[in-house]
Amino acid sequence: MDWTWFHRFGSPPHLYGLAGRLVPWFAWPAALAIAAGLYGGLVLAPPDYQQGDGFRIIYVHAPSAWLSLMAYTWMAVAAAIGLVWRMKVAHAMAASCAPIGAWFTVAALCTGMLWGKPMWGTYWVWDPRLTAELVLLFLYLGYLGLRSAIEDPQRADRASAVLAVVGVVNVPIVRYSVEWWNSIHQAPSVMKFGKPTISWPMLTPLLIMFVGFTLLFLALVLVRVRGEILRRERQARWVSEVIAA
Amino acid sequence: MSGFLSMGGYASSVWPAVALTFGIIAWNIVAARRSFAAARAEARRRIAAGDPS
Amino acid sequence: MLRGLSFDVEGGQYLEVTGSNGAGKTSLLRTIVGLVYAESGQVTWNGLGIHADARAYHAQLAWLGHESPLKADLTPAENLRFALGIRRRVAAAEIAGALTEVGADGFADRPVRTLSAGQRRRVALAGVMLAAVPLWVLDEPQTHLDSAGQGLVGRLIERQIAAGGIVVAAVHAPLPVPEAGTRRIGLSSK
Amino acid sequence: MLRGLSFDVEGGQYLEVTGSNGAGKTSLLRTIVGLVYAESGQVTWNGLGIHADARAYHAQLAWLGHESPLKADLTPAENLRFALGIRRRVAAAEIAGALTEVGADGFADRPVRTLSAGQRRRVALAGVMLAAVPLWVLDEPQTHLDSAGQGLVGRLIERQIAAGGIVVAAVHAPLPVPEAGTRRIGLSSK
Amino acid sequence: MSGTWQAARLVVERDLRLAFRNRGQLLHPLLFFAIVATLFPLALSPEPSRLRDVAPGVLWIGALLASLLAVEFLYREDAQDGTLEQFALSGRSLTWLLFAKTATHWLLSGLPLALMSPIAAYALAVPPAALPGIVAAVSIGTIALSLLGAVSAALTIGIRRGGALLSLLTLPLAVPLLIFGAQATARAIEGSDMAAPLYFLAAFAVLGVTLAPLAAAAAVRISLE
Amino acid sequence: MSGTWQAARLVVERDLRLAFRNRGQLLHPLLFFAIVATLFPLALSPEPSRLRDVAPGVLWIGALLASLLAVEFLYREDAQDGTLEQFALSGRSLTWLLFAKTATHWLLSGLPLALMSPIAAYALAVPPAALPGIVAAVSIGTIALSLLGAVSAALTIGIRRGGALLSLLTLPLAVPLLIFGAQATARAIEGSDMAAPLYFLAAFAVLGVTLAPLAAAAAVRISLE
Ligand code: HEM
Ligand SMILES: Nc1ncnc2c1ncn2[C@@H]1O[C@H](COP(=O)(O)OP(=O)(O)OP(=O)(O)O)[C@@H](O)[C@H]1O
Ligand SMILES: Nc1ncnc2c1ncn2[C@@H]1O[C@H](COP(=O)(O)OP(=O)(O)OP(=O)(O)O)[C@@H](O)[C@H]1O
Ligand SMILES: [Mg+2]
Ligand SMILES: [Mg+2]
């Protein structure tokens, strides 16, 4: 197998330039998809037969929740690569994922809570999925806290990478243990979460939203990763050339 | 239009949720650009000061 | 931070690193023992980069930093027994001998907590001596030592290089070591 | 531990305390500043036992121990502002001047965390200087300092005694201070 | 006196600046509190009615432990780097300097905890009407806790594993606070009159303000010896 | 290999000796556990039936916090006095040396906690028949907790307010342990079959034994850098 692409990708100046060129290719389609998905979801899709128009929160809630999990996975994979190959670029990638993931975890939690109020009559119940998402937020905060507590960027990268890898093992474990826990204690009857029967006119905007959020995530990561690369490479010659230009 | 805005009685949930999500998206865009701009300004400052470390 | 530095040291040599405050002596020594990674350039031992087989390299060196690595609740003798024990088998008599040599026999059985700054430094030096390894890396070994203590450090280094070992030390005032076999490098800030 | 010791010091004098490791220099100095109580005998200041009005006595003295009392997260300038500020009003210019004098102007705005051992010691010395009090009690002030730093300590002490102040310092090697006005006492263990 | 006042102000300013230079660390007691409040439903049961029953206990034990965690750092750095020694030898009233430190500490840990408590309470299925009363009770309670902690923390300065001993010294003394605090919270949840337990909490806080700094100063002097 | 074994044995011996030289400190996590277990009845209600209901939660949160408190000190002194640096430069497997340290730590904190848990459980009105099951669950759970803590503690070495960050890192990771531990305890109290949750706890412990020392060694090296 030819590994040159891997090394090329791992070279900071290369990724710095590539990321800069790619950003618009993700950002504009993301804007388009999100606008279309929102229009489809809020205007075109028919109301749900049970929840009426309340179900439309799904078009912001589900993509946010999806993004929060995807960002964590990316972060852990990047962190593992950084640890194993001592690759600065991978650490820069992991560091870029964390704040985005944390913010969208907050978004998923808040929109979920706003949805919960009309559906369950309260903003919060200890449902397994909710609880797991809350624990995910704590994991993100721990990661960010550890990173900010360590002065030296190299050390911060490597220490937080260990945490990200340990944490990713934990996410599914938490998810299933929480499920098990709640199925044994009888669950409050208000919240039968089950999948709403969803029809194509409802599903299509949602799928477009998923695509839009994914593209948005990639665009955000690419913008951030350039800054992170600069922070890690400040003594390299290519930086002065790029900055002077 | 007012029917659309009232969201079939769920306006008080749907609109805050949408606003919040887009607020967070906007903030993320601003924060990402700021983080990059800060790193670049820092690099520029160091180069101008001739400080290689 | 450190630039344009290149040197090699051979068995039987004492390398004295000097430089004003903040010149980078401590940073250099920590790079040599492998506690920090050099940003560019590398440290080699017997021709091999030290991170290639770090464990084998570490088995050959003894490191003494600004602080003396001693447990406050153990006595000097116990401290040495445990610290050295993870490297090799040491007999109690050997430890007692080393403590006498550094002038620590008077307080070998008191918890380190009650020792003065200089007394601790002496115990730490006994530890370096007992490691019985070819390479010593010492950061300001004579801190807190009285003039007899300075002489002691000189004698220990002299003996180590006579036996074919290598000593690298950062100091502010030259140690009393014979000129033959001594090399000096001075670091300067900027 | 310390026995049969009796001495007094007057304005304009520098008292240099020497003694081998563990002789009791640190213990003596901590007794003088009142951090530990003498088991027998007493320390007097202007004829009064120092514990009689400890606060008034402490307002007259500056103490520098083995460690430099600096906050790792603040810069040298901030450190001095807060440390001195609780004693008296200090102007920013005064602090900047003192930092320049001890050769710390190059890193006055970096967190202390990133400074080398000797750089920290210099900042701590600036603090002693700025206290503007008659009595200085210093435990091994020249630790970690390079030779320029040794000269600096000598100059600071010289100036303080020229202004009629008193300096008591424990050292291992004599500081470069003029003989006139210098008194030495040697402690010996046992 | 004006000198003492000036000195105390500088101590406050310094501690605030140090805290903001490590902004992330301000969040830790809060997060700890949030996590403990999350762990309880996990360890007990997710049922709202049962959660509501244990809410007062969980809130107060969480607040107590979080504030204990925070107070552990009140003097630690100052003791390690010699600042405390310099305070004691500054010729200023150590009592005042320590009072300034403790007040800043409450501002940075107790107050945020109080502001956070309604969120945790809501998660434990406490009805919204009870939340203002809970904030009041936790605010006053944390003042007393900070002062109490300041004394025990001073007693454990320089002890190697001070943290554990600190809990041991503080927790028994905090029992009355816990009882009245939990009582106030329970009454807030029921919607009945919470004046009596609040009054007791306030009395402890006042007692603390007058006595704790004196005791802390004495303890610091002893620890430095 | 025999050298590594010998080195690990010496680490165990050293830590045991240090612990016994400060015998009093061995009691701290235990007392903390005991105090938390007593605070609950005070903050909630002394009724046996209600206490029995909350007993699993209280026991496990108490054990979790006590073990967190203890693990904070796992490396602190060794990091401060340079011993850890010497370990890393000893030419021995750091993984093994840290495994030895963690094992000793469990022996000195987790095991006593497990032995103490029946007393606390009894105070919470748990029927005596449930006590052996509780001891088993807490023993296995604390093994996993010690190992988990050993990793997070290694990550926070040298961080100024490591303790608070340590809780933040460990508590979310400990959620599954808490759930299965509380479940095992609840079943022990009901008298039903506790094999399934015990089995999960044991699986975590085994996973920890194999992976945690490796992660801890990596983290220690990073912290020393
Ligand atoms: C604080 C409250 C909530 C949180 C933290 C939360 C969390 C999540 C998470 C993590 C997902 C993604 C799951 C996955 O991709 O596997 C998700 C998806 C979803 N949530 Fe929520 N949720 C909350 C409230 C609600 C409410 C109240 C409803 C509706 C009654 C709801 C309906 C949905 C639906 C329909 C999906 C997408 C379909 C699916 O993936 O199964 N959520 N939520
Ligand atoms: N973490 C850090 N971040 C930035 N600069 C640092 C850091 N650590 C050290 N330095 C700087 O690196 C330089 C070298 O420091 P080092 O400790 O190696 O000096 P040194 O020669 O040992 O000095 P001393 O004689 O005072 O011990 C100093 O200018 C110091 O301020
Ligand atoms: N807590 C204590 N308990 C018992 N003995 C102690 C205690 N502290 C110090 N000593 C002993 O008192 C003596 C004097 O110690 P001190 O620290 O004053 O010495 P010093 O002259 O400052 O030495 P150095 O030059 O090494 O700094 C030493 O022998 C020391 O071992
Ligand atoms: Mg140095
Ligand atoms: Mg001394």
Side-chain angles (χ1 to χ4, degrees):
Chain A
M1 182 149 177
D2 181 14
W3 283 96
T4 44
W5 65 269
F6 185 74
H7 293 296
R8 269 257 307 265
F9 193 73
S11 121
H14 182 254
L15 184 66
Y16 181 85
L18 183 70
R21 270 172 279 130
L22 284 181
V23 169
W25 291 95
F26 289 109
W28 292 114
L32 214 68
I34 290 174
L38 201 65
Y39 182 73
L42 294 187
V43 180
L44 298 182
D48 185 67
Y49 72 101
Q50 261 185 336
Q51 305 188 3
D53 284 323
F55 97 99
R56 295 185 196 277
I57 293 179
I58 198 174
Y59 297 108
V60 287
H61 168 73
S64 300
W66 152 251
L67 185 44
S68 69
L69 290 169
M70 179 179 66
Y72 199 90
T73 318
W74 272 70
M75 180 175 96
V77 170
I81 293 175
L83 267 187
V84 174
W85 283 287
R86 283 191 160 266
M87 204 177 186
K88 272 188 200 172
V89 164
H91 285 306
M93 194 68 104
S96 315
C97 292
I100 307 173
W103 272 115
F104 281 91
T105 311
V106 171
L109 280 169
C110 292
T111 52
M113 284 168 63
L114 284 168
W115 199 351
K117 185 68 182 171
M119 295 305 136
W120 309 328
T122 173
Y123 287 107
W124 186 262
V125 291
W126 294 95
D127 166 82
R129 195 182 292 193
L130 277 53
T131 310
E133 188 78 2
L134 187 63
V135 173
L136 181 66
L137 179 65
F138 289 138
L139 281 175
Y140 271 123
L141 292 179
Y143 178 94
L144 291 169
L146 182 63
R147 182 169 269 294
S148 75
I150 303 177
E151 208 58 44
D152 176 42
Q154 255 82 11
R155 244 193 80 191
D157 276 349
R158 294 162 53 64
S160 53
V162 172
L163 181 67
V165 173
V166 174
V168 82
V169 178
N170 197 58
V171 167
I173 296 181
V174 168
R175 179 63 193 276
Y176 290 108
S177 53
V178 169
E179 201 117 11
W180 204 56
W181 148 73
N182 209 355
S183 61
I184 302 249
H185 299 267
Q186 73 271 21
S189 55
V190 267
M191 33 140 335
K192 275 276 155 269
F193 210 150
K195 282 197 178 148
T197 45
I198 197 158
S199 63
W200 277 111
M202 284 175 168
L203 188 59
T204 316
L206 187 60
L207 294 179
I208 296 175
M209 269 320 228
F210 276 118
V211 173
F213 269 61
T214 308
L215 290 172
L216 172 70
F217 169 68
L218 292 174
L220 289 173
V221 166
L222 288 177
V223 173
R224 274 184 182 274
V225 84
R226 299 184 82 204
E228 297 293 340
I229 290 175
L230 283 185
R231 289 198 180 93
R232 283 163 182 73
E233 286 277 299
R234 51 188 177 207
Q235 79 291 22
R237 179 160 313 127
W238 70 268
V239 171
S240 14
E241 286 160 11
V242 165
I243 295 292
Chain B
M1 192 63 196
S2 76
F4 174 66
L5 286 181
S6 75
M7 272 291 152
Y10 289 107
S12 61
S13 302
V14 175
W15 292 120
V18 172
L20 192 107
T21 309
F22 280 81
I24 286 178
I25 289 178
W27 167 249
N28 267 279
I29 294 171
V30 171
R33 297 177 60 134
R34 253 199 218 165
S35 146
F36 172 55
R40 202 168 47 177
E42 165 80 6
R44 191 166 280 153
R45 200 184 55 70
R46 278 170 176 280
I47 290 163
D51 173 10
S53 64
Chain C
M1 195 174 65
L2 291 164
R3 295 176 170 269
L5 205 64
S6 164
F7 55 86
D8 36 16
V9 196
E10 284 164 25
Q13 277 194 333
Y14 162 53
L15 178 70
E16 191 164 88
V17 183
T18 53
S20 55
N21 290 138
K25 300 177 294 298
T26 300
S27 312
L28 174 64
L29 298 192
R30 288 177 67 87
T31 313
I32 292 178
V33 299
L35 281 171
V36 290
Y37 282 77
E39 289 203 353
S40 62
Q42 67 169 346
V43 183
T44 58
W45 173 254
N46 291 336
L48 222 71
I50 57 167
H51 294 290
D53 186 355
R55 211 187 293 168
Y57 172 59
H58 289 150
Q60 311 267 304
L61 79 81
W63 156 247
L64 179 60
H66 274 303
E67 300 288 322
S68 309
L70 301 171
K71 287 273 147 211
D73 284 330
L74 298 178
T75 67
E78 287 171 330
N79 259 296
L80 295 181
R81 180 160 101 74
F82 292 120
L84 274 305
I86 56 176
R87 295 177 149 261
R88 64 186 190 89
R89 267 174 213 286
V90 274
E94 222 178 325
I95 291 177
L99 284 173
T100 310
E101 196 156 345
V102 297
D105 44 344
F107 44 86
D109 290 320
R110 264 169 43 194
V112 164
R113 189 176 350 100
T114 67
L115 301 186
S116 79
Q119 290 171 333
R120 288 173 204 215
R121 203 68 181 162
R122 286 167 183 261
V123 177
L125 283 169
V128 171
M129 209 175 101
L130 283 172
V133 289
L135 174 59
W136 290 1
V137 184
L138 317 173
D139 198 358
E140 302 192 27
Q142 82 284 41
T143 323
H144 300 307
L145 291 183
D146 54 23
S147 54
Q150 312 267 338
L152 169 73
V153 175
R155 271 202 313 285
L156 292 181
I157 295 180
E158 198 177 329
R159 181 149 23 110
Q160 166 80 350
I161 60 179
I166 298 180
V167 180
V168 181
V171 297
H172 285 305
L175 286 172
V177 174
E179 279 303 313
T182 298
R183 286 183 48 196
R184 298 210 161 73
I185 55 171
L187 304 181
S188 63
S189 10
K190 258 156 276 170
Chain D
M1 193 176 61
L2 290 163
R3 295 170 174 274
L5 205 62
S6 163
F7 55 88
D8 35 17
V9 196
E10 282 162 29
Q13 278 195 333
Y14 163 52
L15 178 69
E16 190 165 87
V17 182
T18 54
S20 55
N21 291 137
K25 300 179 293 300
T26 300
S27 312
L28 174 63
L29 298 192
R30 287 177 69 86
T31 314
I32 291 178
V33 299
L35 281 170
V36 289
Y37 283 80
E39 288 199 356
S40 61
Q42 67 171 345
V43 183
T44 59
W45 173 254
N46 291 338
L48 223 70
I50 56 167
H51 294 290
D53 186 355
R55 211 185 294 167
Y57 172 59
H58 290 150
Q60 311 267 304
L61 79 80
W63 156 246
L64 180 61
H66 274 302
E67 300 289 322
S68 308
L70 302 171
K71 286 274 146 209
D73 284 331
L74 299 178
T75 67
E78 289 172 328
N79 259 296
L80 294 181
R81 182 159 100 74
F82 292 119
L84 274 305
I86 57 174
R87 295 179 148 259
R88 65 188 189 89
R89 265 173 215 286
V90 273
E94 220 179 327
I95 291 177
L99 284 173
T100 311
E101 197 157 343
V102 297
D105 43 344
F107 43 86
D109 289 321
R110 263 169 43 192
V112 164
R113 189 176 350 100
T114 67
L115 302 185
S116 79
Q119 289 170 334
R120 287 174 204 215
R121 202 67 181 164
R122 285 166 185 262
V123 178
L125 284 169
V128 170
M129 210 175 101
L130 282 171
V133 290
L135 174 58
W136 291 1
V137 184
L138 317 173
D139 198 359
E140 303 192 28
Q142 83 284 40
T143 322
H144 300 307
L145 291 182
D146 54 21
S147 53
Q150 313 268 336
L152 169 73
V153 175
R155 272 202 313 286
L156 292 181
I157 294 181
E158 199 177 328
R159 182 150 21 111
Q160 166 81 351
I161 60 178
I166 299 179
V167 180
V168 181
V171 298
H172 285 304
L175 286 172
V177 174
E179 279 303 314
T182 299
R183 285 181 50 194
R184 297 208 163 75
I185 54 172
L187 305 180
S188 62
S189 13
K190 261 153 269 173
Chain E
M1 195 59 214
S2 96
T4 304
W5 178 243
Q6 154 83 359
R9 242 202 36 208
L10 265 172
V11 169
V12 172
E13 190 187 332
R14 188 193 66 138
D15 279 8
L16 287 177
R17 183 171 302 196
L18 279 169
F20 285 104
R21 206 144 286 179
N22 291 296
R23 234 161 293 135
Q25 292 168 352
L26 286 176
L27 289 176
H28 289 164
L30 280 185
L31 282 168
F32 179 83
F33 184 54
I35 291 177
V36 169
T38 318
L39 292 181
F40 266 96
L42 287 173
L44 285 170
S45 109
E47 255 173 80
S49 66
R50 283 184 66 192
L51 284 178
R52 198 173 304 128
D53 274 1
V54 297
V58 173
L59 282 177
W60 278 88
I61 290 189
L64 180 62
L65 295 177
S67 120
L68 209 60
L69 197 76
V71 90
E72 204 191 320
F73 301 100
L74 183 52
Y75 309 113
R76 180 172 314 153
E77 283 178 24
D78 282 352
Q80 276 176 355
D81 63 22
T83 303
L84 221 47
E85 218 167 77
Q86 297 289 343
F87 274 11
L89 299 183
S90 69
R92 296 284 175 207
S93 154
L94 189 56
T95 309
W96 267 99
L97 299 180
L98 296 185
F99 181 66
K101 264 194 90 67
T102 312
T104 320
H105 180 260
W106 177 77
L107 216 65
L108 293 169
S109 70
L111 188 61
L113 222 59
L115 296 179
M116 166 101 180
S117 58
I119 303 176
Y122 189 82
L124 295 170
V126 167
L131 301 182
I134 291 181
V135 175
V138 176
S139 305
I140 303 175
T142 49
I143 293 180
L145 279 175
S146 288
L147 288 160
L148 180 60
V151 180
S152 348
L155 285 169
T156 55
I157 289 171
I159 293 181
R160 265 143 303 144
R161 293 175 151 212
L165 188 56
L166 178 64
S167 322
L168 202 60
L169 290 180
T170 317
L171 287 176
L173 293 174
V175 164
L177 291 172
L178 189 76
I179 292 177
F180 289 114
Q183 188 142 66
T185 308
R187 293 204 181 175
I189 294 177
E190 283 169 17
S192 60
D193 180 28
M194 54 191 292
L198 272 190
Y199 176 83
F200 275 106
L201 284 181
F204 284 119
V206 170
L207 193 74
V209 168
T210 46
L211 294 184
L214 280 171
V220 164
R221 275 191 208 286
I222 293 166
S223 308
L224 289 179
E225 210 170 283
Chain F
M1 194 59 216
S2 94
T4 304
W5 176 244
Q6 153 83 0
R9 241 201 38 206
L10 265 172
V11 170
V12 172
E13 191 187 333
R14 189 193 66 137
D15 279 7
L16 287 178
R17 186 172 300 195
L18 278 168
F20 285 106
R21 208 145 286 177
N22 291 295
R23 234 158 295 136
Q25 294 170 350
L26 287 176
L27 290 176
H28 290 164
L30 282 184
L31 282 167
F32 180 85
F33 182 54
I35 291 178
V36 169
T38 359
L39 288 182
F40 257 91
L42 286 175
L44 285 170
S45 99
E47 253 172 79
S49 68
R50 283 185 66 192
L51 284 180
R52 198 174 305 129
D53 273 2
V54 298
V58 172
L59 281 176
W60 277 87
I61 290 193
L64 180 62
L65 295 177
S67 124
L68 207 60
L69 197 77
V71 91
E72 206 192 318
F73 300 100
L74 183 51
Y75 310 112
R76 178 169 315 149
E77 283 176 25
D78 282 352
Q80 276 176 356
D81 63 20
T83 303
L84 221 47
E85 218 168 77
Q86 297 290 341
F87 274 12
L89 299 182
S90 69
R92 296 286 175 205
S93 154
L94 188 57
T95 308
W96 267 98
L97 297 181
L98 295 185
F99 182 68
K101 263 195 90 65
T102 312
T104 321
H105 179 259
W106 177 78
L107 218 63
L108 292 170
S109 70
L111 189 60
L113 223 56
L115 297 179
M116 164 105 178
S117 58
I119 303 176
Y122 191 78
L124 293 168
V126 167
L131 300 182
I134 292 181
V135 175
V138 176
S139 306
I140 302 175
T142 48
I143 293 180
L145 278 175
S146 288
L147 289 160
L148 182 59
V151 179
S152 357
L155 285 170
T156 54
I157 288 171
I159 292 178
R160 266 144 301 143
R161 293 174 151 213
L165 191 56
L166 178 64
S167 324
L168 183 60
L169 299 184
T170 317
L171 289 177
L173 296 175
V175 163
L177 291 172
L178 189 72
I179 290 177
F180 291 115
Q183 191 127 68
T185 308
R187 293 202 182 178
I189 294 176
E190 283 168 17
S192 60
D193 179 26
M194 54 190 293
L198 271 190
Y199 175 82
F200 276 107
L201 285 179
F204 288 122
V206 171
L207 192 74
V209 167
T210 45
L211 295 183
L214 279 171
V220 163
R221 274 191 208 287
I222 292 165
S223 307
L224 291 178
E225 211 169 280

